[in-house]
Amino acid sequence: MIRAMSNPSDRAFVRNPWVFGGNLRSTATGTVISFCKEITVPNPTIPFATGIPHDPVDRLTWLIAAARIDMAAAEAEAAMAEADMEAIEPHPYAHGHTAGGDCRYAGFQPEHRLALAGLLTRPWRHALATLEVAKHTHDLDYLLKAFPSVLDADRDALANEGAAALIERGVSDADRFAEKPLLAIGIVWRAFGFHHRDRRAWVGAFAYRGGLHNLVLATAGVTSGTTLGDALTTTVQAHSPLLSQIGQRELHDRAARRDAERQASWASVDADYREHGSWRSRAPTRHQRRLMQRIEATRSLPMGDASRRGVTSDWITAAGGNPRFDPNGGEKA
């Protein structure tokens, strides 16, 4: 039996429920409703699907299969994203900077610009044969390194041909690159079809050990009258998967050599400075922090003390150095 509310204050409470204090400032009923909304998850992390097997082994098999489907879908999405990114045309100078950087590595000089254009506009058979002979004669490990000597041997004639070729291909304004001569040389390569997205394949073509002449000869669309520049572009595009792998290895080996040179240079510094120099008390460099994170991820080592540059350097050395250059593979370049 419900007791009648004779107390006026009780009747007032029914009409005007007590309001919570603090930041909520809501009625008790409203609070319950809000709480229900908070715990109602429209898309739970663990779905309560009725099709999940009850047997533990069958359930594990089902979950593995579902995970593989999700992984395949994620890989497909990643591939589509990469394709979309590749389709974005980079800044025009990106081609020039990339090609110019490799030319710097190969020993090009600013005065080689017009002669290079002249060589690239000559028929490919004789021009490429001349380069391969120079590579063999000077015992070079990279075909692009043979270009400077070939260009110097006939520079005036090649420069005249190159000036005309650049005008024909719409790249005659060299004044824009007066302060960046290697960029200007890279723009010459761009005029003959070099593209930034094919940079590894181009490196692979110049590092190709099987005789680039034979690879060009086997490329569809290349005739005896094709210019050297156009023949190289067609070959790079036709054999991109193969040449990209070779180029990736070439770039990795270069980076490994640079790292070994840095290590040797540091080892030659006075031991007292290396162990007690003022540099040790400075803040770690950004490169050191990134390298520590890479070591932690690759070798599953707990992150060391990164408070000072000296202890950070000691930790990196004790951890085996840059995992990118591990003898057993390490990271991808």
Side-chain angles (χ1 to χ4, degrees):
M1 179 175 180
I2 301 176
R3 181 177 60 87
M5 295 183 182
S6 57
N7 192 328
S9 61
D10 292 340
R11 290 193 295 272
F13 176 79
V14 173
R15 290 194 302 270
N16 300 299
W18 177 72
V19 178
F20 286 107
N23 294 328
L24 294 177
R25 304 299 297 170
S26 59
T27 65
T29 304
T31 303
V32 173
I33 294 174
S34 298
F35 177 72
C36 291
K37 289 181 179 179
E38 290 295 327
I39 64 172
T40 301
V41 183
N43 295 303
T45 304
I46 304 176
F48 298 98
T50 57
I52 300 178
H54 294 286
D55 181 77
V57 176
D58 293 341
R59 185 182 308 167
L60 180 60
T61 303
W62 184 90
L63 291 173
I64 292 174
R68 286 175 175 170
I69 294 174
D70 291 341
M71 288 175 60
E75 290 175 356
E77 291 182 5
M80 292 177 60
E82 290 178 0
D84 291 340
M85 292 176 64
E86 287 290 337
I88 299 174
E89 184 66 22
H91 189 280
Y93 286 1
H95 311 291
H97 281 297
T98 303
D102 204 31
C103 288
R104 179 184 289 107
Y105 167 77
F108 278 69
Q109 299 300 320
E111 57 269 19
H112 289 140
R113 176 177 176 270
L114 291 178
L116 171 63
L119 182 62
L120 292 178
T121 201
R122 287 186 173 180
W124 76 271
R125 282 180 178 270
H126 181 267
L128 184 55
T130 303
L131 289 167
E132 291 182 330
V133 168
K135 176 179 179 289
H136 177 74
T137 301
H138 298 288
D139 194 24
L140 302 174
D141 61 346
Y142 194 58
L143 182 63
L144 193 62
K145 292 181 178 179
F147 274 71
S149 61
V150 172
L151 298 177
D152 289 336
D154 194 17
R155 185 185 301 176
D156 292 340
L158 288 172
N160 291 333
E161 296 174 26
L166 291 180
I167 292 174
E168 181 180 347
R169 292 177 182 247
V171 190
S172 59
D173 185 7
D175 295 337
R176 293 178 297 167
F177 314 111
E179 297 180 357
K180 298 180 179 179
L182 268 300
L183 172 59
I185 290 177
I187 294 297
V188 171
W189 283 103
R190 173 58 179 160
F192 285 87
F194 178 91
H195 196 286
H196 176 72
R197 67 167 173 263
D198 300 322
R199 57 196 180 280
R200 290 184 179 85
W202 277 92
V203 172
F206 294 132
Y208 187 68
R209 298 289 186 266
L212 186 57
H213 187 279
N214 296 328
L215 193 62
V216 176
L217 195 62
T219 301
V222 177
T223 67
S224 58
T226 304
T227 67
L228 175 62
D230 294 333
L232 290 176
T233 297
T234 303
T235 302
V236 165
Q237 294 174 349
H239 305 280
S240 180
L242 168 66
L243 295 177
S244 294
Q245 291 182 1
I246 298 173
Q248 184 79 2
R249 174 51 56 183
E250 168 68 18
L251 294 173
H252 179 273
D253 291 344
R254 290 186 201 176
R257 290 194 295 269
R258 290 195 300 269
D259 184 72
E261 291 171 358
R262 286 193 294 266
Q263 299 298 332
S265 176
W266 179 241
S268 65
V269 174
D270 182 71
D272 185 66
Y273 178 78
R274 285 189 281 112
E275 297 174 4
H276 306 290
S278 59
W279 66 275
R280 297 184 63 87
S281 61
R282 298 172 187 168
T285 65
R286 182 170 55 182
H287 173 72
Q288 282 182 316
R289 295 192 188 96
R290 287 200 301 263
L291 187 53
M292 291 182 76
Q293 293 170 352
R294 183 181 297 169
I295 291 172
E296 180 187 31
T298 304
R299 298 185 177 134
S300 301
L301 295 175
M303 182 73 76
D305 183 5
S307 59
R308 292 292 181 267
R309 192 173 301 183
V311 294
T312 302
S313 177
D314 295 340
W315 184 88
I316 292 173
T317 301
N322 195 333
R324 179 183 178 187
F325 308 115
D326 284 351
N328 294 327
E331 296 179 330
K332 294 182 180 180

